[in-house]
Amino acid sequence: MEPQPAATTSPRRRQPVEPVLMETSEVAAMLSMSTSWVYREASKLGLKGYKLGRGRNAKVLYKRAEVFTWLEQQKIH
């Protein structure tokens, strides 16, 4: 029995990783609200932002799980 050449064996493929954090614009789009609304209301709603970087251009990110948990709590029925 001959060994198979390295080119014919398939390398392990990595499973795609779901992102843990969402950008403010993603949260706004998901909620059909503006980004300014998210910045203004998030802390009032109990959504904690995580600021990455310094100054005006720092990104504020939110945990995806917390956003979905908050959204589930908003059900009317």
Side-chain angles (χ1 to χ4, degrees):
M1 192 176 225
E2 294 180 26
Q4 293 182 344
T8 60
T9 59
S10 61
R12 284 188 170 175
R13 293 187 180 181
R14 292 184 180 194
Q15 296 294 326
V17 177
E18 179 141 350
V20 175
L21 301 173
M22 297 175 72
E23 292 186 17
T24 305
S25 59
E26 292 176 303
V27 175
M30 187 178 82
L31 300 177
S32 298
M33 302 301 271
S34 67
T35 54
S36 60
W37 182 89
V38 175
Y39 283 123
R40 185 177 61 248
E41 300 293 326
S43 63
K44 296 176 191 175
L45 301 173
L47 295 175
K48 294 180 182 178
Y50 297 86
K51 186 175 179 182
L52 301 181
R54 295 183 182 183
R56 291 184 76 186
N57 296 328
K59 284 188 174 185
V60 178
L61 304 173
Y62 299 89
K63 283 187 179 178
R64 183 175 295 274
E66 289 179 3
V67 173
F68 282 105
T69 300
W70 176 82
L71 194 56
E72 280 295 313
Q73 294 170 351
Q74 304 313 305
K75 282 185 181 177
I76 314 174
H77 296 99

